Amino acid sequence: MTGSNEKLVEVNHLVKYFNVGKGKLHAVDDLSFYINKGETLGLVGESGCGKSTTGRTLIRLIDADSGEVLFHGENVLNYDKHQLKDFRRKVQMVFQDPYSSLDPRKNLAELISEPLINSPEYKGNKQKMDARVRELMDIVGLSQRLINSYPHELDGGRRQRVGVARALSVNPEFIILDEPVSALDVCIQAQIINLLKRLQQDMGLSYLFISHDLSVVKHISDRIAVMYLGKMVELSDYESIFVDPLHPYTQALLSAIPIPRIDLDREEIILHGDVPSPVDPPAGCRFAGRCRYAQEKCFHETPTLEEFSTGRYVACHYAGKLDTLSVQDTSEKVFA
């Protein structure tokens, strides 16, 4: 987990709403962050908080409503189709479910070579294409005896390795990893995480690692951003997040991580109530209705993401002062 101080991706005030009936679903609401070259930014939060939409918007699989996505200083959201084609050679995505993202009618050789079909370097050169496919299989740890296998003949770990090989085929600089290990068992998760770390070190890749599992994100991320209902509530280096979380929501996420020790006495933070509707989000802090520290101010004034200390950002009116507040009973709390 190493990176430079040179920004590769910079996101400024990104907004994406979806029209649903008579309202708008606030999927991504004024999001700002950056990713340095060779760095991994972990993006975590509950299902439905806007993590995957953020990733798909960065690569323009979904068009943003407003904001900026700068790649090498250029706004990707203003690219025409020719610029976008060149951009997508430099930025790739690995999806959550490898089975649904792979064409079941194609074997591994065809799946891995598919992104290269229109490349002038490989087009019409079957021998060179085959050599590149075999090289990619070696890189991601796939046995070459599987080259004629189909997705349904592989386990989840091997299918995800195929997805990684496809992403690497065009020599990208930046890869968006959308829950790449959530469908895998723990042993296979570790293998894929180690593979991604090795590839990053060998190729100088930058990652946006999207996950709902902080325990997984911890092992690969340089910095971690926490989202709640379309908003970023905390952004910090991974060590600070785990040692001293500033936002009550981050604290609750950390308390939910299972620890295989029965002798460890740890406070369990139970979040009562449901996540507010993203179509009609509440005024003030969106987490206030489930927050055990919420005060009157929290229900009426929206906190902004501000720098708490060097490199640490949090959107909470009482960050650093939570210990001075009395714990509220949120089991019957309603939104003001």
Side-chain angles (χ1 to χ4, degrees):
M1 294 188 292
T2 58
S4 70
N5 292 322
E6 182 181 353
K7 293 179 182 177
L8 178 67
V9 178
E10 188 173 0
V11 178
N12 297 314
H13 306 292
L14 186 67
V15 173
K16 177 59 187 177
Y17 297 161
F18 293 99
N19 292 319
V20 287
K22 296 182 179 180
K24 289 183 180 292
L25 189 151
H26 295 230
V28 178
D29 207 346
D30 196 25
L31 218 59
S32 297
F33 60 89
Y34 65 87
I35 302 173
N36 291 325
K37 284 188 175 181
E39 180 188 40
T40 299
L41 177 68
L43 187 60
V44 300
E46 291 174 278
S47 297
C49 72
K51 308 183 300 297
S52 294
T53 301
T54 298
R56 291 166 186 258
T57 304
L58 296 192
I59 203 172
R60 281 195 59 182
L61 290 178
I62 300 173
D63 286 328
D65 292 330
S66 63
E68 290 183 327
V69 177
L70 304 179
F71 184 73
H72 286 297
E74 296 184 359
N75 190 0
V76 173
L77 303 184
N78 294 333
Y79 278 178
D80 59 29
K81 63 180 181 179
H82 298 293
Q83 292 172 305
L84 196 58
K85 184 177 180 180
D86 183 59
F87 166 70
R88 285 181 175 157
R89 293 191 186 100
K90 301 173 183 176
V91 179
Q92 288 290 300
M93 191 163 189
V94 175
F95 296 94
Q96 176 177 357
D97 183 358
Y99 191 70
S100 65
S101 63
L102 300 176
D103 188 338
R105 298 168 296 180
K106 294 184 177 180
N107 62 30
L108 262 64
E110 294 169 319
L111 288 168
I112 296 174
S113 65
E114 190 174 19
L116 303 171
I117 290 175
N118 293 319
S119 170
E121 184 179 356
Y122 298 98
K123 192 174 184 179
N125 191 333
K126 189 177 185 305
Q127 185 176 1
K128 191 171 185 179
M129 179 83 80
D130 182 67
R132 177 59 172 162
V133 168
R134 293 178 181 275
E135 178 189 16
L136 289 165
M137 291 181 69
D138 286 339
I139 289 172
V140 300
L142 283 169
S143 173
Q144 295 197 11
R145 66 180 173 80
L146 302 172
I147 195 166
N148 293 314
S149 301
Y150 290 83
H152 72 273
E153 299 176 292
L154 307 176
D155 59 34
R158 288 192 177 95
R159 285 198 289 259
Q160 196 59 284
R161 289 175 190 269
V162 174
V164 174
R166 283 165 55 87
L168 293 176
S169 63
V170 291
N171 297 314
E173 299 177 50
F174 177 48
I175 299 179
I176 298 169
L177 302 159
D178 186 9
E179 302 259 18
V181 297
S182 64
L184 308 176
D185 64 53
V186 175
C187 293
I188 305 302
Q189 282 185 8
Q191 293 176 17
I192 298 299
I193 292 294
N194 289 335
L195 169 65
L196 293 171
K197 290 170 69 174
R198 176 174 60 80
L199 293 173
Q200 183 176 47
Q201 186 175 8
D202 293 346
M203 301 180 180
L205 298 168
S206 302
Y207 294 146
L208 175 64
F209 191 95
I210 298 169
S211 179
H212 64 274
D213 190 342
L214 269 169
S215 61
V216 170
V217 171
K218 176 183 180 180
H219 294 290
I220 193 171
S221 302
D222 297 288
R223 292 182 300 130
I224 295 175
V226 182
M227 284 186 70
Y228 184 81
L229 203 65
K231 292 277 192 182
M232 188 175 293
V233 297
E234 187 165 356
L235 173 62
S236 181
D237 64 277
Y238 80 96
E239 290 181 341
S240 298
I241 284 276
F242 280 85
V243 173
D244 181 29
L246 297 172
H247 198 280
Y249 178 60
T250 310
Q251 294 176 358
L253 287 180
L254 288 171
S255 78
I257 297 175
I259 296 177
R261 285 180 56 185
I262 61 174
D263 61 326
L264 186 64
D265 185 17
R266 185 182 64 169
E267 180 187 13
E268 185 177 5
I269 301 173
I270 303 297
L271 295 180
H272 296 280
D274 295 326
V275 178
S277 169
V279 178
D280 185 24
C285 176
R286 295 183 179 181
F287 185 62
R290 305 175 74 195
C291 179
R292 59 182 184 159
Y293 298 107
Q295 306 295 308
E296 187 66 24
K297 179 180 181 180
C298 302
F299 291 94
H300 303 288
E301 295 183 27
T302 302
T304 56
L305 191 72
E306 297 180 349
E307 190 167 21
F308 178 81
S309 60
T310 304
R312 301 195 68 186
Y313 298 83
V314 62
C316 178
H317 295 304
Y318 300 97
K321 305 174 184 176
L322 297 178
D323 291 342
T324 66
L325 303 176
S326 59
V327 176
Q328 308 291 324
D329 179 10
T330 61
S331 59
E332 297 181 357
K333 186 177 292 186
V334 295
F335 293 105

